[in-house]
Amino acid sequence: MKTDIILCGVGGQGILSIATIIGEAAMNENLYIKQAEVHGMSQRGGDVQSNLRISSEPIHSDLIALGSADVIISMEPMEALRYLPYLKQEGWIITSSTPFVNIPNYPKLDTVMADLNALPNVVAIDIEKLAKDNGVPRSANVILLGAAQKALGIEYDKLEEAIRRVFGRKGDAVVEANIKALALGRKQS
């Protein structure tokens, strides 16, 4: 088993939480994991990207080469396109369909979505609306993780267990909100 994942979005959208949950699930399965340093601004509004590599064999580099990512998980549709050169031809993009317009020359959303929809393996979800409509407004990122579960090759229950461990110290309400969000995302894939 080997899965190379690019996580991307804008600072404050929960990219690091997604990475933590995936990493926890992978380590619990005795898999090897490497995560590259997050690039970009970690404060709200700056672009953020991280490489996450999971394997049943030892991993020698934490960086993902061009054309070799299995999955791009993006909290923002334009960011998914930014990292497209890293995606394998048969790779998956799991992205929010809601833009985070943080630059004056942000392209038209119709153009961004048309470019994404021209690709063979794309799941685009309005995670912000799903989160708000289902009473989990702070868990939109975990909805996206739920939608990516099959592409990641990690069993659903392992992600659920990881959520319990990662968020357990924050209380039952936070844990349950995130488990609900994971299930909502799973239904979208």
Side-chain angles (χ1 to χ4, degrees), residues 130-140 143 176-178 180-181 184:
L130 262 176
K132 186 177 178 182
D133 290 352
N134 287 279
V136 291
R138 298 190 59 160
S139 300
I143 291 174
E176 293 310 314
N178 282 285
K180 180 178 180 179
L184 286 166

Side-chain angles (χ1 to χ4, degrees), residues 46-167:
D47 63 307
V48 177
Q49 182 267 340
S50 180
N51 290 339
L52 188 60
R53 305 187 73 205
I54 301 168
S55 178
S56 54
E57 302 295 323
I59 303 167
H60 301 289
S61 173
D62 55 359
L63 297 177
I64 297 171
L66 290 171
S68 63
D70 298 291
V71 184
I72 294 174
I73 300 174
S74 181
M75 291 293 297
E76 205 285 327
M78 188 180 76
E79 292 299 318
L81 289 175
R82 179 191 308 256
Y83 295 101
L84 191 57
Y86 289 89
L87 190 66
K88 285 181 178 176
Q89 191 170 9
E90 68 280 4
W92 280 88
I93 294 176
I94 316 296
T95 185
S96 170
S97 61
T98 306
F100 187 100
V101 181
N102 58 345
I103 56 174
N105 59 343
Y106 192 99
K108 290 185 176 185
L109 181 58
D110 292 344
T111 303
V112 171
M113 294 311 295
D115 289 348
L116 284 170
N117 290 328
L119 300 168
N121 300 315
V122 176
V123 175
I125 306 164
D126 188 344
I127 58 172
E128 299 296 332
K129 181 174 180 356
L130 262 176
K132 186 177 178 182
D133 290 352
N134 287 279
V136 291
R138 298 190 59 160
S139 300
N141 60 332
V142 180
I143 291 174
L144 201 61
L145 175 59
Q149 179 261 321
K150 291 176 188 170
L152 294 175
I154 298 174
E155 292 178 33
Y156 180 82
D157 63 324
K158 301 302 178 192
L159 290 173
E160 195 175 87
E161 289 171 21
I163 286 171
R164 290 185 192 286
R165 286 191 301 276
V166 169
F167 294 112

